[in-house]
Amino acid sequence: MFRKVKKRHSSSSSQSSEVSTKSKVFPDLVEPSGNAVSDTCAEFRVKYVGAIEKLQFEMSKTLQEPLDLINYIDAAQQDGKMPFVPGDEEMILGVSKYGVKVASLDQCDVLHRHPLYLIVRMLCYDDGLGAGKNLLALKTTDAEQQECSIWVYQCSSAEQAQAICKVLSTFFDCALASEKS
């Protein structure tokens, strides 16, 4: 049920879609028992596009459906509140049972933390610019559920964006399963 993953070191563009793990094993998402490996952290190279922070929670209620969220991000980009393309700096987006952590490539600087219990929605979609890039959007809330924020990252491919969503979804499922037992 487990496969070994080795981190490749190359300068090719395929490097940005690689997955590595700190525990050196990566479950085919779930063990037969239904539990995720506790010390697994999947890491992906992404670029930070931008964020729309501290939206009133009433606004969050209008952004329930994926298309509503995509349209809101698109409107923010057209209004100049968020760039269409990210900066050149790549970052490491780590996904674990604790949530999402975005750090510099050397992982010395943590840029964003999104605890699992504060992530309201995640989705990936084509950026529409014709370059084959996909965006990963995370909608988060604060602990009091008074405000929400939308965080947008650019992935190198649709496969990478879907892999991030799949891993994060698995951790959600495992957290909910452990809560029920």
Side-chain angles (χ1 to χ4, degrees), residues 14 16 21 56 59 62-63 77-78 81 86 88 96 106 118 129 139 143-145 147 165 177:
S14 66
S16 62
T21 60
Q56 292 302 309
M59 173 56 107
T62 67
L63 302 173
Q77 288 175 318
Q78 291 178 15
K81 296 177 184 172
D88 291 334
S96 73
D106 61 8
L118 295 179
L129 299 176
K139 182 174 132 184
E144 294 81 30
Q145 294 191 346
E147 300 174 333
C165 286

Side-chain angles (χ1 to χ4, degrees), residues 44-129:
F44 304 86
R45 287 180 181 240
V46 299
K47 293 182 178 180
Y48 176 62
V49 176
I52 305 166
E53 297 184 70
K54 300 186 182 210
L55 296 169
Q56 292 302 309
F57 202 72
E58 288 302 314
M59 173 56 107
S60 175
K61 292 178 182 177
T62 67
L63 302 173
Q64 295 295 326
E65 297 301 317
L67 189 56
D68 297 331
L69 192 56
I70 292 168
N71 288 337
Y72 191 82
I73 292 167
D74 188 49
Q77 288 175 318
Q78 291 178 15
D79 292 344
K81 296 177 184 172
M82 181 183 293
F84 282 99
V85 293
D88 291 334
E89 184 182 358
E90 284 191 326
M91 301 168 185
I92 300 293
L93 185 139
V95 182
S96 73
K97 69 178 183 178
Y98 303 107
V100 175
K101 177 176 83 171
V102 181
S104 59
L105 279 181
D106 61 8
Q107 298 199 17
C108 290
D109 297 317
V110 175
L111 307 166
H112 310 133
R113 285 189 193 272
H114 308 295
L116 192 64
Y117 75 99
L118 295 179
I119 298 173
V120 177
R121 175 174 289 285
M122 64 178 170
L123 63 96
C124 58
Y125 61 98
D126 184 278
D127 67 3
L129 299 176

